[in-house]
Amino acid sequence: VVFDCDQCGGERSMKRTKAVLDCWFDSGAMPFAQYHWPFGDGKSKVAEQFPADFIAEGLDQTRGWFYTLHAIGAFMTTLPDAGLPNGPAYKTCVVNGLVLDKDGVKMSKRLGNVIDPWKVLDEHGADAVRWYLLSSGQPWLPKRFDPNGLAEVRRKFLGTLINSYKFFAEYARLDDFDPSDPRIPKPADRTEIDRWILSRTQTLIDDVRARMLEYDLAAACRAVESFVIDDLSNWYIRRNRRRFWKSETGADKLAAFSTLHSALTTTALVMAPVVPFLSEMLWERLAPGKGSVHAALFPAADRPLVLAPLEESMRVVVRIVEMGRALRERGVLKTRQPLRAIHIRASRESDLVLLRTPFAVEQILAELNIKTIGSLATDDGHLCRLKAKASFKVLGPRLGAQMKGAARAIEALPPSEVARLRAGQSVSVDVDGPLAVGPGDVQITVETQATFDVETDGRFVVYLDVELDDELVCEGLAREAINRINGLRKDRGLLVEDRIRLHLDASGDPLLARALREYAELIGAETLAVEVWTEAAAPTEAVAPTWGASEEFDLGAGRRLRVQLRRN
């Protein structure tokens, strides 16, 4: 078979090669052939890049590309003038698994379980699909593709990140925030919660770097996801909203803006390899004029910003808060209802040291809406008792006939010995002589002995003072009113910066009326109301014209609040 060449004018100048090698030979020769090795500068270019850091393909390439790369590479590197190191053609092989349907069945037109990729991309976007596939498991494992799971990833992670950026962008716009403002306090001069999230941002960088170097993409995605949802959105932004809301722009507000800006910028950088489009969008807005996020260097942790004790303190705080929330939920006590005290027992003195810091105390009390920490001490065993039970699966094959005696001896261990097991140490029991028992040989449980509701996890014991007086009830009612008013602001389409005037009517409920009077200033500050009227009658038209329709809310226990508001 021959062809004429239109470019050079040659007749019958192109001829088919009579003998053609297996096409996989072409693929395996790729590292050399792409640079026309050994001609021109092909030798030096191959030497610079050989062996490859990694290759990625499906499992079916094991006897195709994976093999021929090595086979040809092994031959070429043994040539005396190759100038290449002996060894494999690539350092790491990332094998892609199959995509199955949500029930784990291979997709097939015959079965009708094929997903149209273009429809999915149009509905959810490429970034959501990439994040879903990479975060749901290691690349080499089969993936069950569930559209509902994809929608959940889009809502929970990407939606949370976008909302976090929108929160920053909205208030940064109102205050004309400039990340290069020389008035921004240095990190060391910022509040502890700022320094905590800055430290977490740096440890996130370390974590994602380490995971990606190990090609553990699923763990890298989960680290970013946990940071965005748990640390950045559910804790830092929520705990610091008032710093962004307040009207004056001082050092504290600038520090909050700068801290949030840094966390969002770093997030865009570390997730760029997985969600290229969203990260580029965030980068363009957070770092204008700095080019593409994909042309930026992957960040390295700023060591002076890493504060391990502060991060550990926050982990303890979060655990106590989780336990406090569980107690509130069981007791049907809304978080907006302040409580008198929280009592904490810890099994380790080191935990008490962390919990006694002003930072930890402030976070726990503010997050759980509690007035004080009533007691903070080591666990004396009066409220809860540690118990150990032998693991027959582990000890049985080892002890044989001695197993029953060992089980009785382990169950009889005093709490102090069980505490040692829980701490990772070994203890000795007498079973026809001394027998060493380790943490993996037992199952540890915690028995509650209190007559009131207690939350415990074996490390902490937490209980609440749930007795309410009129003072606490009034504050709780005021906070319920604030919640309803801010919801009404949103329903009325008010902007976050809009100031309002409020008329609150609690006719026939003396305690609610007292709450509105005593906490009128707090209600005004939290709802951006320049004036709050708490009398039964609304102000005259001369004072506050065009009130509009009123709304009535049930604050619980049959307490009714009537609200009128207007833009100032």
Side-chain angles (χ1 to χ4, degrees):
V1 178
V2 295
F3 296 97
D4 296 336
C5 179
D6 294 334
Q7 293 185 13
C8 69
E11 296 181 359
R12 305 173 65 82
S13 55
M14 291 184 285
K15 300 178 182 179
R16 186 178 69 181
T17 303
K18 292 182 179 179
V20 179
L21 285 169
D22 186 299
C23 64
W24 288 115
F25 181 89
D26 290 348
S27 298
M30 176 271 299
F32 308 94
Q34 67 178 336
Y35 294 121
H36 202 40
W37 188 95
F39 304 102
D41 59 355
K43 256 191 170 183
S44 61
K45 285 186 177 180
V46 172
E48 287 174 4
Q49 300 180 16
F50 191 90
D53 287 313
F54 75 97
I55 60 169
E57 254 293 358
L59 185 63
D60 56 324
Q61 299 295 333
T62 302
R63 291 192 297 171
W65 194 36
F66 297 166
Y67 165 71
T68 54
L69 280 169
H70 276 327
I72 296 172
F75 170 75
M76 298 294 284
T77 56
T78 59
L79 297 177
D81 60 345
L84 300 172
N86 291 328
Y90 46 87
K91 301 174 185 177
T92 302
C93 180
V94 182
V95 181
N96 299 323
L98 295 173
V99 179
L100 312 175
D101 72 7
K102 62 184 179 63
D103 298 317
V105 179
K106 186 176 180 180
M107 291 187 186
S108 163
K109 289 183 180 179
R110 178 179 60 82
L111 296 175
N113 61 348
V114 175
I115 301 293
D116 182 349
W118 298 113
K119 183 178 178 181
V120 172
L121 291 174
D122 288 341
E123 183 177 353
H124 298 286
D127 278 348
V129 175
R130 288 166 64 96
W131 191 269
Y132 172 69
L133 290 174
L134 287 174
S135 65
S136 59
Q138 299 297 0
W140 48 88
L141 297 176
K143 296 291 194 306
R144 295 191 179 198
F145 191 90
D146 183 358
N148 292 329
L150 174 58
E152 178 70 5
V153 163
R154 178 184 171 188
R155 180 192 65 81
K156 191 172 181 181
F157 170 59
L158 298 180
T160 298
L161 178 57
I162 290 170
N163 287 336
S164 298
Y165 166 73
K166 285 181 176 178
F167 174 86
F168 167 82
E170 180 70 8
Y171 289 98
R173 175 187 64 81
L174 293 175
D175 286 277
D176 198 22
F177 171 71
D178 179 2
S180 62
D181 191 328
R183 298 173 299 163
I184 296 174
K186 301 294 183 186
D189 298 326
R190 300 180 196 177
T191 63
E192 284 182 297
I193 197 166
D194 286 346
R195 287 185 279 129
W196 163 70
I197 197 66
L198 288 173
S199 179
R200 274 293 294 120
T201 303
Q202 305 313 307
T203 53
L204 171 70
I205 293 170
D206 275 342
D207 195 7
V208 174
R209 267 184 171 270
R211 300 297 186 182
M212 285 189 169
L213 285 172
E214 296 170 357
Y215 295 87
D216 189 351
L217 303 182
C221 290
R222 287 194 295 268
V224 178
E225 196 167 301
S226 175
F227 174 79
V228 169
I229 296 172
D230 299 328
D231 298 327
L232 187 62
S233 176
N234 287 349
W235 200 277
Y236 182 78
I237 292 177
R238 190 173 50 78
R239 293 287 311 121
N240 289 279
R241 284 183 181 275
R242 288 180 179 84
R243 298 170 68 191
F244 297 93
W245 287 344
K246 59 187 180 183
S247 56
E248 69 279 5
T249 302
D252 182 64
K253 193 173 190 180
L254 287 171
F257 271 125
S258 180
T259 301
L260 182 52
H261 177 270
S262 175
L264 289 169
T265 304
T266 300
T267 301
L269 284 167
V270 297
M271 73 178 193
V274 183
V275 281
F277 301 110
L278 177 57
S279 58
E280 182 77 349
M281 183 205 77
L282 291 175
W283 183 258
E284 286 178 352
R285 288 158 174 76
L286 293 164
K290 292 189 177 180
S292 170
V293 69
H294 305 294
L297 291 175
F298 197 88
D302 188 347
R303 292 292 156 213
L305 295 181
V306 178
L307 303 171
L310 189 57
E311 289 193 43
E312 179 59 26
S313 179
M314 182 58 89
R315 280 190 286 270
V316 171
V317 165
V318 170
R319 185 66 193 117
I320 296 297
V321 167
E322 290 171 346
M323 297 171 77
R325 285 174 181 161
L327 287 168
R328 274 187 172 273
E329 186 174 342
R330 287 204 298 271
V332 196
L333 296 164
K334 294 181 180 179
T335 304
R336 285 187 285 274
Q337 172 58 61
L339 299 178
R340 183 72 60 202
I342 181 172
H343 304 272
I344 304 170
R345 300 283 186 271
S347 59
R348 297 191 301 218
E349 182 63 34
S350 59
D351 286 335
L352 293 177
V353 172
L354 294 173
L355 288 169
R356 288 191 181 108
T357 62
F359 171 69
V361 171
E362 176 191 356
Q363 295 299 312
I364 291 170
L365 296 183
E367 185 61 20
L368 290 175
N369 194 15
I370 294 176
K371 296 300 181 182
T372 184
I373 293 182
S375 60
L376 183 59
T378 53
D379 186 12
D380 55 13
H382 292 162
L383 294 175
C384 298
R385 179 182 175 85
L386 290 174
K387 295 284 290 184
K389 186 177 181 180
S391 173
F392 279 74
K393 185 178 180 180
V394 176
L395 290 175
R398 195 170 96 204
L399 299 181
Q402 291 182 306
M403 184 63 224
K404 288 186 177 180
R408 288 193 296 270
I410 289 170
E411 286 190 18
L413 282 171
S416 58
E417 293 292 274
V418 182
R420 290 180 58 196
L421 285 168
R422 186 181 59 184
Q425 303 174 28
S426 294
V427 300
S428 179
V429 296
D430 186 14
V431 185
D432 299 329
L435 171 69
V437 177
D441 300 326
V442 299
Q443 297 171 342
I444 297 175
T445 59
V446 184
E447 294 181 350
T448 301
Q449 303 177 102
T451 58
F452 46 86
D453 196 9
V454 171
E455 182 74 10
T456 180
D457 63 355
R459 181 180 177 185
F460 299 105
V461 179
V462 176
Y463 59 102
L464 304 174
D465 181 347
V466 297
E467 186 176 346
L468 301 176
D469 55 21
D470 284 352
E471 181 183 351
L472 291 171
V473 171
C474 281
E475 184 178 344
L477 290 172
R479 293 189 180 279
E480 289 289 348
I482 290 168
N483 175 261
R484 304 304 195 280
I485 295 165
N486 279 329
L488 184 57
R489 281 181 58 102
K490 187 175 182 180
D491 292 342
R492 296 279 177 88
L494 295 174
L495 301 177
V496 294
E497 68 268 28
D498 283 343
R499 298 303 195 261
I500 63 172
R501 293 177 183 270
L502 270 177
H503 173 234
L504 307 176
D505 179 12
S507 298
D509 192 330
L511 193 60
L512 178 54
R514 171 186 163 184
L516 299 178
R517 287 194 307 272
E518 292 183 357
Y519 290 94
E521 185 176 345
L522 174 66
I523 293 171
E526 294 292 315
T527 62
L528 295 186
V530 295
E531 288 188 83
V532 180
W533 284 276
T534 59
E535 294 79 9
T540 64
E541 288 295 306
V543 178
T546 63
W547 277 103
S550 64
E551 295 281 347
E552 189 171 288
F553 298 100
D554 183 356
L555 303 188
R559 299 186 183 278
R560 311 294 296 185
L561 172 65
R562 188 176 295 277
V563 179
Q564 285 181 295
L565 67 78
R566 62 178 289 272
R567 186 183 282 108
N568 184 40

